[in-house]
Amino acid sequence: MLWVAIIGLVMTVVALALAARRVVFLYKLATIGPPAPERIEYAKNNVGAEVKAQLVEVFGQKKLLKWTPSGVAHFFVMWAFFILATVYVEAYGALIQGAITGTPDFHIPIIGTWPALGFLQDFIALACLLGLAAFAIIRIKNSPKKLGRGSRFSGSHLGGAWLVLFMIFNVIWTLFLARGAAVNTGNFPYESGAFISEAVARVLPTSTLLEEIGLLLHIGVMLVFLVIVVNSKHMHIFTAPMNVLFSRRPDALGPAQEMRIDGKVVDFEDEDLDGDRLGRGKITDTTWKGFLDFYTCTECGRCQSQCPAWNTDKPLSPKMLILDQRDHVFAIAPYLMATEEQRAHAGQDVLALLEKPLVGEDGVIHPDVLWSCTNCGACVEQCPVDIEHIDHILDMRRYQVMVESSFPSEAGVMVKNLENKGNPWGMSEMKRADWIEELDFEVQMVDEKMPEDTEYLFWVGCAGALEDRAKKTTKAVAELLHIADVKFAVLGPMEACTGDPARRLGMEFLFNMLAQQNIETLNEAGVKKIVATCPHCFNTLANEYPQLGGHYEVVHHTQLLAKLVDEGKLVPVTPIEEKITYHDPCFLGRHNKVYSQPRDIMSKVPGVKSQEMHRHKERGFCCGAGGARMWMEERIGKRINTERVDEALTTDPDTISTACPFCLVMLGDSINEKKNAGEAKETLEVVDVSQLLIKSIKGEPVEAS
């Protein structure tokens, strides 16, 4: 057995040296960019949340199990890695003990002869084989050659995936060969339980040489696999737990990240601020967390399959956004990590690659990719390894907008309106209170301070105050609060845009200006509790204003109305005999996990028959207005709002309901086009959930949008 031990240990040293060299390279590459101290700080301060995330997401595979067939297969393959580590402990133990004593009958102390462990090892190995078969079938069935863009594997490096499946298969069959041979020679540690190993033993000859060859093959395959893994997309085996550890909690949705330079939050009042370093202009501006995203992408395409831009024939694939950056940085990595002398001798091809802009017509990322994003969060929601695609997009947008002044021209009009008038439409701030005149009761207006008898500030929002269709929601909510005797007040002309469109466009400076102005107004007025009808306002006030010192208790109107219905303060009585399908606004649903309350309200309205669309709740499909796309033309592919309405029409609804003014406008526009083309009922309308509730309470026709 001495020669077996020598060969095994030499193989191990060589493989570990190669793997370690690659790991050091990856570490050095990831740390060429700026630090991300906030990630480490959060992990330190939230140990409980991080432990839970590891248990639920890594070991429990929660996100993967949403995709049941592939999720179950991956669950067993992943757990095979953990459990079969005990087999490698036995293998190396046999290697060393065989060299010392001549008899490789090693077993793990205490538990190493338990039949239950032998059974578990064989069972998980068999489950792993079945998982490999499932993966192969899924990949063949969803082949890009057959499905084109419809395949979630479109754009993935397919050869590497098949190689890894083949290597895992080699691990399993060599395992059973080594264990079966050990059973016959009497060196197997389990008298019973290992049912497959025992079955294999019955068809193998009794041979010490076969046992030694099987042992070396099993160890050798694992070592080759290790080297392949750290040089491929399958290094997520090691990096995924780290990416989950340093990801944002509860996920990378809700607030946009603060902009940082060298790990410090940007202060726009700092006279020494380097304006050329705002956002991400080159790949080396990526933090180590961004590099961890690159390393961790499994190319599974779940993000791509859920992306509204990709599903409407636009060039944005969240998966390819990550892969294109990863492939680019690997291509230029030798130069980035080279000495000055080595760089001086770089060839023209290398220099051309280095000069390739991160974003541009000939860049790593095409501008159409960057500006197709609606910030809907479907990619982040679906990613099983917590990659934060929106953060990458926003960082690149910030550089394009604030440094290059390069963004869709129509968005420039929106920016000027925000700067000059405090709203995206450029209307006078005095018009913000016009909707009040259409009500038959008094609405209190804040005059420097919140009136003492008011509980909530009603944040109306730009759309709710100025857009005719959204104003109907505003009036319905105000009337419902009045009926429920909830005391509220509005800011009227004192209210300005929260800054969400500016921030999602990438104009962080303008967002800061608007946010600080609003925070000053709110704080001076003594506002504590806010109710908002726009999910974008709701998200910004609740999740992003705290970044600038604005801390308030913020609820969406559906949350408050659902509570009032439960308490009996609002009682829907008049039946609405309609089939209604509900559209989840992205910034209410995925970004803030408000799914039940709008549906709860509808369920309390007599006569309503709810019919869910195929894509709903966490898999809901965007209306196309997020990410400042409300103010940009959609010139590529099918319109996202048209795709969503087409899906809604498959439920044959009488009404489409939602809980967002942007969604109201986008869906309404598409429905009107469908009516003009004779593709939708003339009676079909899109309304806010609050409009349905007020109709049932008052027994009056709902004012359609």
Side-chain angles (χ1 to χ4, degrees):
M1 280 293 291
L2 181 61
W3 68 273
V4 177
I6 292 172
I7 294 174
L9 293 177
V10 168
M11 289 193 305
T12 301
V13 170
V14 171
L16 289 178
L18 292 173
R21 181 184 178 187
R22 177 66 174 180
V23 170
V24 170
F25 164 80
L26 293 173
Y27 174 79
K28 288 182 177 178
L29 183 61
T31 52
I32 61 173
E38 74 281 2
R39 302 303 184 119
I40 297 174
E41 191 67 24
Y42 183 87
K44 285 181 178 178
N45 295 335
N46 295 272
V47 175
E50 297 300 347
V51 170
K52 180 181 178 182
Q54 293 294 317
L55 293 174
V56 172
E57 293 189 34
V58 178
F59 295 102
Q61 300 278 276
K62 179 182 178 181
K63 285 190 173 182
L64 273 165
L65 288 171
K66 292 179 181 178
W67 299 62
T68 307
S70 57
V72 171
H74 193 278
F75 180 87
F76 283 115
V77 172
M78 181 208 68
W79 273 99
F81 275 90
F82 295 139
I83 294 172
L84 296 184
T86 60
V87 174
Y88 280 104
V89 171
E90 293 170 348
Y92 274 99
L95 203 68
I96 295 169
Q97 185 165 308
I100 296 173
T101 67
T103 306
D105 58 351
F106 173 84
H107 66 267
I108 299 171
I110 303 175
I111 63 171
T113 59
W114 292 357
L117 179 58
F119 172 82
L120 182 60
Q121 290 169 335
D122 276 20
F123 169 79
I124 201 67
L126 176 60
C128 182
L129 277 179
L130 295 175
L132 296 182
F135 285 149
I137 292 169
I138 289 169
R139 287 191 169 273
I140 293 170
K141 184 179 177 182
N142 294 281
S143 169
K145 290 182 179 178
K146 183 165 57 176
L147 301 179
R149 283 177 64 99
S151 168
R152 62 185 175 93
F153 301 119
S154 176
S156 299
H157 299 80
L158 302 177
W162 284 110
L163 174 60
V164 166
L165 292 183
F166 176 65
M167 290 306 299
I168 297 174
F169 171 73
N170 287 336
V171 167
I172 301 302
W173 76 258
T174 57
L175 175 147
F176 287 129
L177 172 64
R179 285 161 69 90
V183 170
N184 287 338
T185 60
N187 293 322
F188 195 56
Y190 308 101
E191 293 184 2
S192 63
F195 59 105
I196 298 180
S197 298
E198 293 168 0
V200 170
R202 287 193 284 271
V203 299
L204 293 177
T206 300
S207 169
T208 301
L209 179 61
L210 182 62
E211 180 187 7
E212 294 169 344
I213 292 173
L215 186 62
L216 286 178
L217 276 175
H218 188 47
I219 291 174
V221 165
M222 179 272 292
L223 294 173
V224 172
F225 189 26
L226 172 64
V227 175
I228 290 173
V229 162
V230 296
N231 284 274
S232 74
K233 74 184 186 71
H234 279 80
M235 61 182 143
H236 77 270
I237 294 170
F238 304 113
T239 59
M242 288 190 289
N243 210 42
V244 171
L245 175 65
F246 295 115
S247 63
R248 293 198 276 142
R249 296 277 157 246
D251 51 39
L253 296 173
Q257 275 196 303
E258 297 170 283
M259 189 164 61
R260 296 171 181 266
I261 295 178
D262 293 333
K264 297 179 181 179
V265 176
V266 169
D267 179 2
F268 287 101
E269 296 181 0
D270 184 357
E271 294 180 357
D272 297 324
L273 177 64
D274 186 351
D276 291 335
R277 296 188 62 195
L278 298 174
R280 188 189 304 176
K282 52 186 184 296
I283 199 70
T284 49
D285 291 333
T286 308
T287 67
W288 58 261
K289 174 57 175 69
F291 275 88
L292 204 53
D293 282 348
F294 299 160
Y295 298 166
T296 307
C297 181
T298 68
E299 305 184 24
C300 67
R302 287 170 173 80
C303 58
Q304 180 174 287
S305 70
Q306 300 297 301
C307 177
W310 183 259
N311 277 278
T312 52
D313 297 322
K314 294 171 181 61
L316 169 61
S317 158
K319 175 183 71 177
M320 297 311 300
L321 178 91
I322 299 299
L323 297 189
D324 287 345
Q325 292 181 86
R326 184 190 74 187
D327 292 349
H328 175 66
V329 79
F330 279 159
I332 65 173
Y335 177 84
L336 294 176
M337 300 168 69
T339 63
E340 290 295 331
E341 183 179 352
Q342 290 171 326
R343 294 180 186 181
H345 292 87
Q348 289 299 317
D349 55 338
V350 175
L351 292 175
L353 197 59
L354 287 168
E355 292 170 1
K356 190 174 185 179
L358 183 57
V359 178
E361 295 287 339
D362 299 316
V364 179
I365 305 297
H366 193 279
D368 287 340
V369 169
L370 198 63
W371 298 111
S372 292
C373 180
T374 67
N375 280 204
C376 73
C379 50
V380 178
E381 174 73 33
Q382 290 298 323
C383 182
V385 290
D386 285 6
I387 291 172
E388 299 166 350
H389 313 77
I390 292 178
D391 292 349
H392 288 263
I393 289 171
L394 280 180
D395 274 347
M396 286 185 274
R397 281 187 175 188
R398 286 164 172 168
Y399 182 84
Q400 292 300 302
V401 172
M402 290 188 288
V403 180
E404 296 288 334
S405 296
S406 176
F407 52 92
S409 57
E410 57 269 22
V413 177
M414 180 266 289
V415 170
K416 288 180 181 177
N417 288 335
L418 287 175
E419 291 174 337
N420 298 328
K421 295 293 186 179
N423 67 80
W425 287 280
M427 299 173 71
S428 169
E429 64 269 19
M430 300 310 296
K431 289 184 175 292
R432 284 186 175 272
D434 285 358
W435 61 273
I436 297 175
E437 297 174 5
E438 301 173 29
L439 298 174
D440 57 7
F441 58 91
E442 183 182 353
V443 172
Q444 294 194 80
M445 195 95 67
V446 175
D447 182 15
E448 294 187 0
K449 293 289 184 181
M450 282 281 286
E452 290 185 5
D453 62 339
T454 55
E455 182 179 3
Y456 288 96
L457 174 77
F458 180 11
W459 186 274
V460 179
C462 300
L466 304 171
E467 207 284 327
D468 288 340
R469 287 167 285 188
K471 280 199 285 187
K472 295 168 185 175
T473 301
T474 303
K475 289 184 289 184
V477 171
E479 191 163 5
L480 287 165
L481 296 179
H482 177 69
I483 292 170
D485 198 29
V486 175
K487 304 301 181 183
F488 68 95
V490 298
L491 289 174
M494 293 169 61
E495 184 181 292
C497 179
T498 59
D500 168 81
R503 185 170 227 191
R504 298 290 165 169
L505 180 72
M507 185 63 80
E508 189 75 6
F509 170 75
L510 181 55
F511 164 75
N512 268 258
M513 183 182 75
L514 291 166
Q516 288 172 355
Q517 173 186 327
N518 283 323
I519 290 170
E520 183 179 351
T521 299
L522 293 169
N523 288 346
E524 287 182 355
V527 173
K528 302 296 183 185
K529 299 168 72 173
I530 300 173
V531 57
T533 54
C534 175
H536 298 263
C537 295
F538 165 61
N539 180 68
T540 306
L541 291 164
N543 299 321
E544 297 184 349
Y545 275 24
Q547 297 171 351
L548 297 169
H551 299 275
Y552 317 102
E553 182 183 333
V554 188
V555 296
H556 188 253
H557 73 282
T558 57
Q559 294 175 302
L560 180 55
L561 294 179
K563 177 174 176 286
L564 294 173
V565 170
D566 286 343
E567 292 173 350
K569 295 180 180 179
L570 292 173
V571 183
V573 290
T574 304
I576 299 178
E577 302 292 345
E578 292 181 5
K579 183 193 289 186
I580 300 177
T581 189
Y582 174 73
H583 164 79
D584 286 284
C586 300
F587 275 73
L588 183 63
R590 265 191 300 269
H591 281 270
N592 285 284
K593 311 305 182 215
V594 179
Y595 296 117
S596 62
Q597 288 91 333
R599 291 172 169 83
D600 290 344
I601 293 170
M602 290 170 56
S603 69
K604 298 292 177 62
V605 175
V608 167
K609 300 179 182 67
S610 295
Q611 177 66 50
E612 295 283 13
M613 285 182 256
H614 171 65
R615 292 178 286 206
H616 63 279
K617 293 187 177 179
E618 69 271 5
R619 288 196 183 182
F621 200 77
C622 185
C623 75
R629 291 250 18 129
M630 181 84 168
W631 293 275
M632 297 183 225
E633 290 298 323
E634 197 169 342
R635 298 186 176 92
I636 304 173
K638 184 178 181 180
R639 293 180 67 87
I640 293 174
N641 59 338
T642 301
E643 172 70 13
R644 186 54 165 167
V645 167
D646 282 343
E647 184 172 2
L649 292 178
T650 63
T651 68
D652 189 30
D654 299 307
T655 298
I656 299 173
S657 68
T658 187
C660 171
F662 288 7
C663 297
L664 202 69
V665 170
M666 298 296 285
L667 300 180
D669 285 348
S670 182
I671 286 172
N672 289 335
E673 290 175 3
K674 295 289 183 183
K675 287 180 182 179
N676 293 334
E679 298 174 4
K681 302 173 186 174
E682 282 299 322
T683 56
L684 179 63
E685 301 290 351
V686 56
V687 300
D688 189 90
V689 170
S690 62
Q691 293 173 271
L692 293 172
L693 182 58
I694 193 70
K695 176 184 178 181
S696 180
I697 289 173
K698 295 181 66 178
E700 297 175 357
V702 65
E703 190 178 8
S705 300

